[in-house]
Amino acid sequence: VCVLPSLLSSDCLTANIVKSHRETCQYRVEELQALRWKVFSREEVLAYQSKSVEEMWQRCAYRLTDSIQYVVEFAKRIDGFLELSQNDQIVLLKGGSLEVVLVRMCRSFNPDNGTVFFEGKYGGTEVFKSLGCNDLIASIFEFSQSLCALHLSEQEVALFTAVVLLNPERAWLQDKEKVARLHSHVDVAFKNTLQRSHRDTVLSKLSQKTLQLKSLCSLHIDRLRSFLELRPLLAHSLFPPLYHELFT
Ligand SMILES: CNC(=O)[C@@H]1CCCN1C(=O)c1ccc(Cl)c(COc2cccc3c(C(F)(F)F)cc(C)nc23)c1Cl
């Protein structure tokens, strides 16, 4: 709720979204950057590469699921999200939570050596080799690398992830107009913030990123679905939210 009537309503929404992001981003970006020196040793990488497909998937699914829970909490704290119908809240989270996880991942990516923070240290794509889907991992790293190049501030990450989440074009929305109104408020808040900090150029680049995000998630979810359908044992280990995310 905004107590300072003098502030523009979009400033209130910006403050609410930045606060919600800060409270639900799992790791502060300062912490993640302070840990960049902690890189997996040759032996640790070999240990990951000798793990079974099942175990590696379980480890990733656990982390992804954990991250998705934080994204759910982020959404619930955005003014207006809980005023949407239960159905529409679920539709937006089902369609957008992995996209938000992917955007947030750029904060734990080190573009200087192409490593990402995973299970306490930084590692390259070779850490995930035993997953058996190197092109999926490669595209996740490429996306993080390209998003890092935009040097998004925490405020910009917060607003961009809110825009990604409140997408009125998601299929099966009941009250599309209501979502579109909320989306446009966030969009205005995002544009105001970018203009004030003379970052307008980022806007056009981010809209391309949103398209990449969509194709990355949808393309790989399908590949992932077929990959996992060959391994029924694995599929159930993708904890309920991720399973729900991928297969329903
Ligand atoms: C601090 N960092 C963390 O906790 C991050 C945030 C969420 C995951 N997590 C990791 O530790 C992490 C970091 C980098 C990578 Cl590459 C991975 C492995 O990521 C994935 C492996 C398998 C499938 C993934 C899929 C698929 F296909 F299911 F949609 C989609 C995403 C986006 N990531 C996948 C993981 Cl699990």
Side-chain angles (χ1 to χ4, degrees):
V1 175
C2 210
V3 290
L4 302 172
S6 59
L7 272 176
L8 273 168
S9 67
S10 79
D11 291 341
C12 281
L13 185 54
T14 296
N16 159 253
I17 289 170
V18 171
K19 182 172 180 289
S20 304
H21 170 75
R22 193 176 303 120
E23 290 166 350
T24 64
C25 62
Q26 265 183 293
Y27 303 83
R28 284 186 307 102
V29 72
E30 298 79 17
E31 288 168 328
L32 288 166
Q33 286 178 351
L35 288 166
R36 282 184 171 183
W37 60 275
K38 282 188 85 172
V39 182
F40 286 120
S41 68
R42 192 91 205 90
E43 296 72 31
E44 287 168 320
V45 172
L46 289 173
Y48 275 118
Q49 293 179 340
S50 55
K51 288 187 188 309
S52 70
V53 173
E54 285 72 18
E55 188 190 338
M56 207 53 199
W57 266 103
Q58 257 158 7
R59 286 170 179 251
C60 295
Y62 171 79
R63 296 217 159 264
L64 287 164
T65 299
D66 191 35
S67 290
I68 286 173
Q69 307 305 322
Y70 280 91
V71 173
V72 171
E73 199 46 47
F74 169 62
K76 287 164 64 178
R77 296 176 190 218
I78 295 173
D79 289 344
F81 183 81
L82 291 178
E83 278 65 55
L84 298 172
S85 71
Q86 191 85 27
N87 170 80
D88 286 359
Q89 292 176 33
I90 290 169
V91 164
L92 292 180
L93 282 166
K94 223 179 96 61
S97 54
L98 260 188
E99 291 179 3
V100 172
V101 162
L102 254 174
V103 172
R104 285 180 161 194
M105 221 187 258
C106 78
R107 298 160 75 252
S108 57
F109 186 80
N110 181 356
D112 303 335
N113 58 8
T115 61
V116 73
F117 187 71
F118 176 71
E119 296 191 340
K121 288 190 178 180
Y122 277 79
T125 53
E126 68 277 2
V127 164
F128 302 95
K129 203 168 169 193
S130 57
L131 276 176
C133 44
N134 293 337
D135 57 341
L136 164 73
I137 296 300
S139 52
I140 290 170
F141 272 65
E142 278 155 34
F143 182 80
S144 291
Q145 183 92 38
S146 70
L147 208 50
C148 278
L150 300 182
H151 302 293
L152 296 180
S153 65
E154 279 299 274
Q155 203 175 43
E156 289 162 349
V157 171
L159 287 160
F160 180 49
T161 49
V163 166
V164 164
L165 203 55
L166 300 168
N167 179 351
E169 300 311 316
R170 299 283 179 209
W172 314 116
L173 282 174
Q174 279 165 347
D175 190 344
K176 186 173 167 175
E177 287 66 40
K178 193 169 183 183
V179 176
R181 273 197 304 279
L182 187 51
H183 180 262
S184 69
H185 290 162
V186 177
D187 221 22
V188 163
F190 191 25
K191 286 188 174 87
N192 285 351
T193 304
L194 288 174
Q195 268 145 19
R196 246 178 249 156
S197 49
H198 312 296
R199 293 265 296 166
D200 311 43
T201 52
V202 159
L203 212 58
S204 59
K205 290 178 190 147
L206 278 178
S207 52
Q208 288 159 17
K209 291 286 160 267
T210 313
L211 293 173
Q212 273 177 321
L213 205 52
K214 207 169 295 311
S215 64
L216 184 62
C217 279
S218 52
L219 173 76
H220 286 300
I221 296 284
D222 294 343
R223 273 209 53 252
L224 190 74
R225 189 175 278 125
S226 51
F227 175 84
L228 288 171
E229 265 153 16
L230 297 172
R231 295 169 175 78
L233 173 80
L234 252 186
H236 81 270
S237 77
L238 278 163
F239 296 85
L242 194 52
Y243 192 91
H244 181 82
E245 180 79 26
L246 298 175
F247 299 104
T248 55

